[in-house]
Amino acid sequence: MSELIIRPVVTKADLRTFIRVTETVYKDDPVFIQPLMLERMESLSKDKNPFFLHAEGEYWIAERDGVAVGRISAQVDPNLQEKWGPGLGHFGLFEATDFEAAEALFKTAADWLKAKGMTRIQGPWSLSANQECGMLVDGFDTPPVVMMPHGRPEYDGWLKKLGFEKAKDLLAWYLDIRDEPEERIGRIVEMGKRNKKIKIREIDMKRFDEELALILDIFNDAWADNWGFTPFTDAEATHTAASLKPIVKPYRTLIAEYDGEPVGFMVTIPDVNHHIRDLKGKLLPFGIFKLLARMLGKKSDERVRVPLMGIRKSLQKSKVGGIIPIMLIEATRPGVRKRGANFAELGWILEDNDGMNNMLREVACVHYKTMRIYEKPIG
């Protein structure tokens, strides 16, 4: 085998090469969807992603005979360590065509983290818990939904060989939107509707910034104690709101109020991956017209994802806190079904979040993918 070279990403051209590694890794995978280059350049740019206002990180490419055969990132986030303890560094964005490349990439990432004073390496977080998370270990036969990872079946074995152990599994669930909810779910929803203190309303687009700030405030509160979570910073919240605005629609962006106070929400977005499946990561020259036609067409919501959902901690263990998520799901179903929806992904959910996982089973969701977070000491 030819000599393997690991080199850092320095220029924009390097970053494009870093992104295009997946074209090689998944060239024979019929379900992989190449992300849009424009979106990836924006998301991974240290000048544009607000994650890098409070964290630092590096990207590396593995090359053999001038061909990129792997990649990895390493990140150090003081906000993360403040919440989850000192010495914890992250890796992310890992891809490789072979074990030799994987081993060299992980050594490079671990050495960089060690030089920064880190004693543990954990991931993949790409780049944080608020972005793409986990390594796919089950569910390789279906395409990745927007902002969710794909992977190769070999990766789990490679990481174990490198000394990594499972830290936590993340679950993704799907719901067939075309099915009518079971009778008991209808009764729960009706019970909620009879409670005059509960109100489910659509987001007010005229007050979009204010409403998104409210949603992210609930989200930070609801997820505060979840394993691995770090709150959105103000800059990240502003950036997220701006990126979501073009695809947010009132009929699938709902806020729950209890006794006049906002206490919960659910954001549902179209699966952009489904709309770009044949564009090979390119919007030009004609991809942009295909994407717009699909996003604005009658089947714009054919496949959707729920990336953000939460109930304030004060209600999470109450009867009302159990009813509201079901009401949010069922209130969203008619609007997206009218616009062609047949599939919804809900997740990710921590494997030990029994309350949420049991609720999803109740509304007929099916667990269909598992992502894994790994960890090991840095020697």
Side-chain angles (χ1 to χ4, degrees), residues 4 6 62 64 69-72 94-109 154-155 158-159 162 164:
L4 184 75
I6 307 296
R64 189 181 289 118
V69 295
R71 71 184 193 191
I72 201 167
F94 167 73
E95 303 285 358
T97 60
D98 57 86
F99 179 73
E100 182 192 29
E103 185 176 29
L105 285 164
F106 276 105
K107 183 181 185 307
T108 301
E154 302 97 322
Y155 287 173
W158 291 354
L159 265 75
L162 292 170
F164 283 90

PDB file of all heavy atoms in Angstrom, residues 4 6 62 64 69-72 94-109 154-155 158-159 162 164:
ATOM      1  N   LEU A   4       0.884   6.773   3.279  1.00  0.00           N
ATOM      2  CA  LEU A   4      -0.253   7.565   3.740  1.00  0.00           C
ATOM      3  C   LEU A   4       0.256   8.863   4.337  1.00  0.00           C
ATOM      4  O   LEU A   4       1.189   8.866   5.132  1.00  0.00           O
ATOM      5  CB  LEU A   4      -1.041   6.780   4.787  1.00  0.00           C
ATOM      6  CG  LEU A   4      -2.322   7.442   5.315  1.00  0.00           C
ATOM      7  CD1 LEU A   4      -3.429   7.362   4.271  1.00  0.00           C
ATOM      8  CD2 LEU A   4      -2.768   6.766   6.610  1.00  0.00           C
ATOM      9  N   ILE A   6      -1.000  12.410   6.381  1.00  0.00           N
ATOM     10  CA  ILE A   6      -2.039  13.148   7.112  1.00  0.00           C
ATOM     11  C   ILE A   6      -1.651  14.618   7.096  1.00  0.00           C
ATOM     12  O   ILE A   6      -0.556  14.986   7.548  1.00  0.00           O
ATOM     13  CB  ILE A   6      -2.174  12.667   8.574  1.00  0.00           C
ATOM     14  CG1 ILE A   6      -2.368  11.153   8.649  1.00  0.00           C
ATOM     15  CG2 ILE A   6      -3.329  13.414   9.257  1.00  0.00           C
ATOM     16  CD1 ILE A   6      -3.645  10.657   8.012  1.00  0.00           C
ATOM     17  N   ALA A  62      -6.585  12.592   5.250  1.00  0.00           N
ATOM     18  CA  ALA A  62      -5.664  11.484   4.960  1.00  0.00           C
ATOM     19  C   ALA A  62      -5.598  11.315   3.445  1.00  0.00           C
ATOM     20  O   ALA A  62      -6.639  11.221   2.787  1.00  0.00           O
ATOM     21  CB  ALA A  62      -6.142  10.197   5.616  1.00  0.00           C
ATOM     22  N   ARG A  64      -3.539   9.328   0.060  1.00  0.00           N
ATOM     23  CA  ARG A  64      -2.678   8.267  -0.453  1.00  0.00           C
ATOM     24  C   ARG A  64      -2.591   8.434  -1.967  1.00  0.00           C
ATOM     25  O   ARG A  64      -3.633   8.451  -2.645  1.00  0.00           O
ATOM     26  CB  ARG A  64      -3.239   6.902  -0.061  1.00  0.00           C
ATOM     27  CG  ARG A  64      -2.307   5.736  -0.352  1.00  0.00           C
ATOM     28  CD  ARG A  64      -2.919   4.401   0.045  1.00  0.00           C
ATOM     29  NE  ARG A  64      -2.999   4.231   1.492  1.00  0.00           N
ATOM     30  CZ  ARG A  64      -4.128   4.092   2.171  1.00  0.00           C
ATOM     31  NH1 ARG A  64      -5.299   4.144   1.531  1.00  0.00           N
ATOM     32  NH2 ARG A  64      -4.115   3.922   3.486  1.00  0.00           N
ATOM     33  N   VAL A  69      -8.459   9.909   1.266  1.00  0.00           N
ATOM     34  CA  VAL A  69      -9.068   8.633   1.660  1.00  0.00           C
ATOM     35  C   VAL A  69      -9.606   8.674   3.086  1.00  0.00           C
ATOM     36  O   VAL A  69     -10.037   7.644   3.615  1.00  0.00           O
ATOM     37  CB  VAL A  69      -8.059   7.479   1.514  1.00  0.00           C
ATOM     38  CG1 VAL A  69      -7.681   7.272   0.051  1.00  0.00           C
ATOM     39  CG2 VAL A  69      -6.807   7.725   2.368  1.00  0.00           C
ATOM     40  N   GLY A  70      -9.597   9.846   3.710  1.00  0.00           N
ATOM     41  CA  GLY A  70     -10.143   9.941   5.053  1.00  0.00           C
ATOM     42  C   GLY A  70     -10.069  11.359   5.581  1.00  0.00           C
ATOM     43  O   GLY A  70      -9.425  12.242   4.992  1.00  0.00           O
ATOM     44  N   ARG A  71     -10.750  11.574   6.711  1.00  0.00           N
ATOM     45  CA  ARG A  71     -10.761  12.891   7.334  1.00  0.00           C
ATOM     46  C   ARG A  71     -11.156  12.756   8.794  1.00  0.00           C
ATOM     47  O   ARG A  71     -11.746  11.734   9.204  1.00  0.00           O
ATOM     48  CB  ARG A  71     -11.740  13.829   6.622  1.00  0.00           C
ATOM     49  CG  ARG A  71     -13.195  13.465   6.876  1.00  0.00           C
ATOM     50  CD  ARG A  71     -14.159  14.330   6.113  1.00  0.00           C
ATOM     51  NE  ARG A  71     -15.519  14.147   6.609  1.00  0.00           N
ATOM     52  CZ  ARG A  71     -16.618  14.610   5.998  1.00  0.00           C
ATOM     53  NH1 ARG A  71     -16.514  15.293   4.855  1.00  0.00           N
ATOM     54  NH2 ARG A  71     -17.807  14.416   6.532  1.00  0.00           N
ATOM     55  N   ILE A  72     -10.873  13.781   9.585  1.00  0.00           N
ATOM     56  CA  ILE A  72     -11.302  13.825  10.985  1.00  0.00           C
ATOM     57  C   ILE A  72     -11.171  15.260  11.487  1.00  0.00           C
ATOM     58  O   ILE A  72     -10.403  16.056  10.929  1.00  0.00           O
ATOM     59  CB  ILE A  72     -10.457  12.874  11.866  1.00  0.00           C
ATOM     60  CG1 ILE A  72     -11.193  12.510  13.157  1.00  0.00           C
ATOM     61  CG2 ILE A  72      -9.079  13.472  12.173  1.00  0.00           C
ATOM     62  CD1 ILE A  72     -10.555  11.345  13.908  1.00  0.00           C
ATOM     63  N   PHE A  94     -15.561  12.145  11.121  1.00  0.00           N
ATOM     64  CA  PHE A  94     -14.674  11.056  10.717  1.00  0.00           C
ATOM     65  C   PHE A  94     -15.234  10.281   9.529  1.00  0.00           C
ATOM     66  O   PHE A  94     -16.413   9.938   9.482  1.00  0.00           O
ATOM     67  CB  PHE A  94     -14.460  10.084  11.871  1.00  0.00           C
ATOM     68  CG  PHE A  94     -13.825   8.784  11.438  1.00  0.00           C
ATOM     69  CD1 PHE A  94     -12.484   8.751  11.087  1.00  0.00           C
ATOM     70  CD2 PHE A  94     -14.581   7.628  11.335  1.00  0.00           C
ATOM     71  CE1 PHE A  94     -11.898   7.565  10.658  1.00  0.00           C
ATOM     72  CE2 PHE A  94     -14.002   6.443  10.909  1.00  0.00           C
ATOM     73  CZ  PHE A  94     -12.656   6.406  10.570  1.00  0.00           C
ATOM     74  N   GLU A  95     -14.367  10.026   8.565  1.00  0.00           N
ATOM     75  CA  GLU A  95     -14.637   9.120   7.444  1.00  0.00           C
ATOM     76  C   GLU A  95     -13.306   8.509   7.023  1.00  0.00           C
ATOM     77  O   GLU A  95     -12.256   9.158   7.127  1.00  0.00           O
ATOM     78  CB  GLU A  95     -15.250   9.843   6.240  1.00  0.00           C
ATOM     79  CG  GLU A  95     -16.535  10.594   6.500  1.00  0.00           C
ATOM     80  CD  GLU A  95     -17.760   9.700   6.652  1.00  0.00           C
ATOM     81  OE1 GLU A  95     -17.618   8.456   6.516  1.00  0.00           O
ATOM     82  OE2 GLU A  95     -18.849  10.247   6.909  1.00  0.00           O
ATOM     83  N   ALA A  96     -13.318   7.266   6.532  1.00  0.00           N
ATOM     84  CA  ALA A  96     -12.095   6.656   6.019  1.00  0.00           C
ATOM     85  C   ALA A  96     -12.446   5.465   5.147  1.00  0.00           C
ATOM     86  O   ALA A  96     -13.471   4.802   5.354  1.00  0.00           O
ATOM     87  CB  ALA A  96     -11.173   6.222   7.157  1.00  0.00           C
ATOM     88  N   THR A  97     -11.586   5.194   4.188  1.00  0.00           N
ATOM     89  CA  THR A  97     -11.785   4.061   3.289  1.00  0.00           C
ATOM     90  C   THR A  97     -11.170   2.779   3.839  1.00  0.00           C
ATOM     91  O   THR A  97     -11.514   1.694   3.384  1.00  0.00           O
ATOM     92  CB  THR A  97     -11.170   4.338   1.910  1.00  0.00           C
ATOM     93  OG1 THR A  97      -9.755   4.568   2.074  1.00  0.00           O
ATOM     94  CG2 THR A  97     -11.810   5.542   1.245  1.00  0.00           C
ATOM     95  N   ASP A  98     -10.237   2.899   4.834  1.00  0.00           N
ATOM     96  CA  ASP A  98      -9.544   1.711   5.320  1.00  0.00           C
ATOM     97  C   ASP A  98      -9.035   1.951   6.732  1.00  0.00           C
ATOM     98  O   ASP A  98      -8.947   3.097   7.198  1.00  0.00           O
ATOM     99  CB  ASP A  98      -8.384   1.350   4.384  1.00  0.00           C
ATOM    100  CG  ASP A  98      -7.390   2.491   4.231  1.00  0.00           C
ATOM    101  OD1 ASP A  98      -6.479   2.597   5.074  1.00  0.00           O
ATOM    102  OD2 ASP A  98      -7.543   3.292   3.281  1.00  0.00           O
ATOM    103  N   PHE A  99      -8.667   0.869   7.414  1.00  0.00           N
ATOM    104  CA  PHE A  99      -8.266   0.965   8.819  1.00  0.00           C
ATOM    105  C   PHE A  99      -6.960   1.723   8.995  1.00  0.00           C
ATOM    106  O   PHE A  99      -6.787   2.462   9.969  1.00  0.00           O
ATOM    107  CB  PHE A  99      -8.151  -0.432   9.443  1.00  0.00           C
ATOM    108  CG  PHE A  99      -7.715  -0.395  10.879  1.00  0.00           C
ATOM    109  CD1 PHE A  99      -8.588   0.031  11.870  1.00  0.00           C
ATOM    110  CD2 PHE A  99      -6.423  -0.764  11.238  1.00  0.00           C
ATOM    111  CE1 PHE A  99      -8.184   0.087  13.203  1.00  0.00           C
ATOM    112  CE2 PHE A  99      -6.013  -0.714  12.563  1.00  0.00           C
ATOM    113  CZ  PHE A  99      -6.899  -0.292  13.549  1.00  0.00           C
ATOM    114  N   GLU A 100      -6.013   1.566   8.083  1.00  0.00           N
ATOM    115  CA  GLU A 100      -4.749   2.280   8.207  1.00  0.00           C
ATOM    116  C   GLU A 100      -4.990   3.788   8.266  1.00  0.00           C
ATOM    117  O   GLU A 100      -4.402   4.489   9.104  1.00  0.00           O
ATOM    118  CB  GLU A 100      -3.819   1.953   7.036  1.00  0.00           C
ATOM    119  CG  GLU A 100      -2.460   2.654   7.163  1.00  0.00           C
ATOM    120  CD  GLU A 100      -1.618   2.603   5.896  1.00  0.00           C
ATOM    121  OE1 GLU A 100      -2.202   2.536   4.803  1.00  0.00           O
ATOM    122  OE2 GLU A 100      -0.380   2.642   6.009  1.00  0.00           O
ATOM    123  N   ALA A 101      -5.852   4.280   7.390  1.00  0.00           N
ATOM    124  CA  ALA A 101      -6.165   5.710   7.395  1.00  0.00           C
ATOM    125  C   ALA A 101      -6.879   6.107   8.686  1.00  0.00           C
ATOM    126  O   ALA A 101      -6.582   7.150   9.282  1.00  0.00           O
ATOM    127  CB  ALA A 101      -7.019   6.058   6.180  1.00  0.00           C
ATOM    128  N   ALA A 102      -7.809   5.258   9.134  1.00  0.00           N
ATOM    129  CA  ALA A 102      -8.536   5.552  10.364  1.00  0.00           C
ATOM    130  C   ALA A 102      -7.591   5.639  11.561  1.00  0.00           C
ATOM    131  O   ALA A 102      -7.662   6.571  12.369  1.00  0.00           O
ATOM    132  CB  ALA A 102      -9.587   4.469  10.607  1.00  0.00           C
ATOM    133  N   GLU A 103      -6.681   4.685  11.675  1.00  0.00           N
ATOM    134  CA  GLU A 103      -5.746   4.668  12.797  1.00  0.00           C
ATOM    135  C   GLU A 103      -4.877   5.922  12.815  1.00  0.00           C
ATOM    136  O   GLU A 103      -4.668   6.542  13.866  1.00  0.00           O
ATOM    137  CB  GLU A 103      -4.879   3.417  12.702  1.00  0.00           C
ATOM    138  CG  GLU A 103      -3.935   3.221  13.876  1.00  0.00           C
ATOM    139  CD  GLU A 103      -3.168   1.909  13.777  1.00  0.00           C
ATOM    140  OE1 GLU A 103      -2.922   1.440  12.645  1.00  0.00           O
ATOM    141  OE2 GLU A 103      -2.814   1.356  14.833  1.00  0.00           O
ATOM    142  N   ALA A 104      -4.376   6.306  11.654  1.00  0.00           N
ATOM    143  CA  ALA A 104      -3.520   7.496  11.577  1.00  0.00           C
ATOM    144  C   ALA A 104      -4.297   8.768  11.896  1.00  0.00           C
ATOM    145  O   ALA A 104      -3.775   9.679  12.562  1.00  0.00           O
ATOM    146  CB  ALA A 104      -2.895   7.582  10.185  1.00  0.00           C
ATOM    147  N   LEU A 105      -5.520   8.852  11.438  1.00  0.00           N
ATOM    148  CA  LEU A 105      -6.338  10.033  11.701  1.00  0.00           C
ATOM    149  C   LEU A 105      -6.644  10.171  13.192  1.00  0.00           C
ATOM    150  O   LEU A 105      -6.541  11.269  13.763  1.00  0.00           O
ATOM    151  CB  LEU A 105      -7.636   9.953  10.897  1.00  0.00           C
ATOM    152  CG  LEU A 105      -7.505  10.230   9.399  1.00  0.00           C
ATOM    153  CD1 LEU A 105      -8.742   9.745   8.653  1.00  0.00           C
ATOM    154  CD2 LEU A 105      -7.288  11.720   9.129  1.00  0.00           C
ATOM    155  N   PHE A 106      -7.016   9.067  13.829  1.00  0.00           N
ATOM    156  CA  PHE A 106      -7.339   9.141  15.257  1.00  0.00           C
ATOM    157  C   PHE A 106      -6.101   9.452  16.096  1.00  0.00           C
ATOM    158  O   PHE A 106      -6.188  10.166  17.099  1.00  0.00           O
ATOM    159  CB  PHE A 106      -8.011   7.847  15.730  1.00  0.00           C
ATOM    160  CG  PHE A 106      -9.486   7.828  15.478  1.00  0.00           C
ATOM    161  CD1 PHE A 106     -10.027   7.072  14.466  1.00  0.00           C
ATOM    162  CD2 PHE A 106     -10.333   8.611  16.255  1.00  0.00           C
ATOM    163  CE1 PHE A 106     -11.396   7.067  14.225  1.00  0.00           C
ATOM    164  CE2 PHE A 106     -11.706   8.617  16.036  1.00  0.00           C
ATOM    165  CZ  PHE A 106     -12.238   7.848  15.007  1.00  0.00           C
ATOM    166  N   LYS A 107      -4.956   8.944  15.700  1.00  0.00           N
ATOM    167  CA  LYS A 107      -3.727   9.284  16.408  1.00  0.00           C
ATOM    168  C   LYS A 107      -3.434  10.780  16.290  1.00  0.00           C
ATOM    169  O   LYS A 107      -3.069  11.438  17.279  1.00  0.00           O
ATOM    170  CB  LYS A 107      -2.544   8.484  15.865  1.00  0.00           C
ATOM    171  CG  LYS A 107      -1.231   8.749  16.615  1.00  0.00           C
ATOM    172  CD  LYS A 107      -0.077   7.965  16.052  1.00  0.00           C
ATOM    173  CE  LYS A 107       1.184   8.148  16.903  1.00  0.00           C
ATOM    174  NZ  LYS A 107       1.548   9.572  17.125  1.00  0.00           N
ATOM    175  N   THR A 108      -3.626  11.321  15.096  1.00  0.00           N
ATOM    176  CA  THR A 108      -3.392  12.751  14.882  1.00  0.00           C
ATOM    177  C   THR A 108      -4.334  13.592  15.739  1.00  0.00           C
ATOM    178  O   THR A 108      -3.913  14.564  16.385  1.00  0.00           O
ATOM    179  CB  THR A 108      -3.581  13.099  13.394  1.00  0.00           C
ATOM    180  OG1 THR A 108      -2.658  12.336  12.610  1.00  0.00           O
ATOM    181  CG2 THR A 108      -3.357  14.575  13.142  1.00  0.00           C
ATOM    182  N   ALA A 109      -5.619  13.228  15.757  1.00  0.00           N
ATOM    183  CA  ALA A 109      -6.600  13.975  16.544  1.00  0.00           C
ATOM    184  C   ALA A 109      -6.299  13.875  18.031  1.00  0.00           C
ATOM    185  O   ALA A 109      -6.354  14.882  18.765  1.00  0.00           O
ATOM    186  CB  ALA A 109      -8.005  13.448  16.252  1.00  0.00           C
ATOM    187  N   GLU A 154     -18.058  -1.020   8.931  1.00  0.00           N
ATOM    188  CA  GLU A 154     -16.744  -1.340   9.492  1.00  0.00           C
ATOM    189  C   GLU A 154     -16.335  -0.398  10.625  1.00  0.00           C
ATOM    190  O   GLU A 154     -15.483  -0.754  11.458  1.00  0.00           O
ATOM    191  CB  GLU A 154     -15.657  -1.257   8.409  1.00  0.00           C
ATOM    192  CG  GLU A 154     -15.887  -2.157   7.215  1.00  0.00           C
ATOM    193  CD  GLU A 154     -16.549  -1.419   6.057  1.00  0.00           C
ATOM    194  OE1 GLU A 154     -17.430  -0.563   6.319  1.00  0.00           O
ATOM    195  OE2 GLU A 154     -16.168  -1.699   4.904  1.00  0.00           O
ATOM    196  N   TYR A 155     -16.900   0.805  10.662  1.00  0.00           N
ATOM    197  CA  TYR A 155     -16.411   1.817  11.594  1.00  0.00           C
ATOM    198  C   TYR A 155     -16.470   1.370  13.058  1.00  0.00           C
ATOM    199  O   TYR A 155     -15.541   1.614  13.839  1.00  0.00           O
ATOM    200  CB  TYR A 155     -17.204   3.115  11.438  1.00  0.00           C
ATOM    201  CG  TYR A 155     -16.908   3.912  10.179  1.00  0.00           C
ATOM    202  CD1 TYR A 155     -17.661   5.035   9.854  1.00  0.00           C
ATOM    203  CD2 TYR A 155     -15.872   3.562   9.317  1.00  0.00           C
ATOM    204  CE1 TYR A 155     -17.405   5.794   8.720  1.00  0.00           C
ATOM    205  CE2 TYR A 155     -15.600   4.294   8.181  1.00  0.00           C
ATOM    206  CZ  TYR A 155     -16.379   5.411   7.876  1.00  0.00           C
ATOM    207  OH  TYR A 155     -16.110   6.144   6.747  1.00  0.00           O
ATOM    208  N   TRP A 158     -13.600  -0.862  13.824  1.00  0.00           N
ATOM    209  CA  TRP A 158     -12.339  -0.119  13.799  1.00  0.00           C
ATOM    210  C   TRP A 158     -12.130   0.641  15.099  1.00  0.00           C
ATOM    211  O   TRP A 158     -11.036   0.621  15.674  1.00  0.00           O
ATOM    212  CB  TRP A 158     -12.322   0.864  12.625  1.00  0.00           C
ATOM    213  CG  TRP A 158     -12.245   0.226  11.272  1.00  0.00           C
ATOM    214  CD1 TRP A 158     -12.082  -1.099  10.985  1.00  0.00           C
ATOM    215  CD2 TRP A 158     -12.321   0.910  10.012  1.00  0.00           C
ATOM    216  NE1 TRP A 158     -12.058  -1.289   9.618  1.00  0.00           N
ATOM    217  CE2 TRP A 158     -12.196  -0.079   8.995  1.00  0.00           C
ATOM    218  CE3 TRP A 158     -12.486   2.232   9.631  1.00  0.00           C
ATOM    219  CZ2 TRP A 158     -12.234   0.239   7.636  1.00  0.00           C
ATOM    220  CZ3 TRP A 158     -12.521   2.560   8.285  1.00  0.00           C
ATOM    221  CH2 TRP A 158     -12.398   1.568   7.290  1.00  0.00           C
ATOM    222  N   LEU A 159     -13.178   1.323  15.587  1.00  0.00           N
ATOM    223  CA  LEU A 159     -13.021   2.097  16.817  1.00  0.00           C
ATOM    224  C   LEU A 159     -12.771   1.198  18.019  1.00  0.00           C
ATOM    225  O   LEU A 159     -11.966   1.523  18.895  1.00  0.00           O
ATOM    226  CB  LEU A 159     -14.239   3.001  17.042  1.00  0.00           C
ATOM    227  CG  LEU A 159     -14.027   4.425  16.494  1.00  0.00           C
ATOM    228  CD1 LEU A 159     -14.136   4.450  14.988  1.00  0.00           C
ATOM    229  CD2 LEU A 159     -14.981   5.420  17.119  1.00  0.00           C
ATOM    230  N   LEU A 162      -9.267   0.259  18.083  1.00  0.00           N
ATOM    231  CA  LEU A 162      -8.433   1.383  18.512  1.00  0.00           C
ATOM    232  C   LEU A 162      -8.589   1.699  20.003  1.00  0.00           C
ATOM    233  O   LEU A 162      -7.997   2.655  20.501  1.00  0.00           O
ATOM    234  CB  LEU A 162      -8.767   2.626  17.686  1.00  0.00           C
ATOM    235  CG  LEU A 162      -8.363   2.557  16.206  1.00  0.00           C
ATOM    236  CD1 LEU A 162      -8.956   3.732  15.430  1.00  0.00           C
ATOM    237  CD2 LEU A 162      -6.849   2.523  16.048  1.00  0.00           C
ATOM    238  N   PHE A 164     -11.543   2.329  21.687  1.00  0.00           N
ATOM    239  CA  PHE A 164     -12.734   3.096  22.068  1.00  0.00           C
ATOM    240  C   PHE A 164     -13.812   2.169  22.640  1.00  0.00           C
ATOM    241  O   PHE A 164     -13.949   1.015  22.215  1.00  0.00           O
ATOM    242  CB  PHE A 164     -13.310   3.844  20.862  1.00  0.00           C
ATOM    243  CG  PHE A 164     -12.557   5.079  20.479  1.00  0.00           C
ATOM    244  CD1 PHE A 164     -11.509   5.017  19.565  1.00  0.00           C
ATOM    245  CD2 PHE A 164     -12.885   6.309  21.034  1.00  0.00           C
ATOM    246  CE1 PHE A 164     -10.804   6.158  19.203  1.00  0.00           C
ATOM    247  CE2 PHE A 164     -12.196   7.454  20.670  1.00  0.00           C
ATOM    248  CZ  PHE A 164     -11.146   7.378  19.749  1.00  0.00           C
TER     249      PHE A 164
END
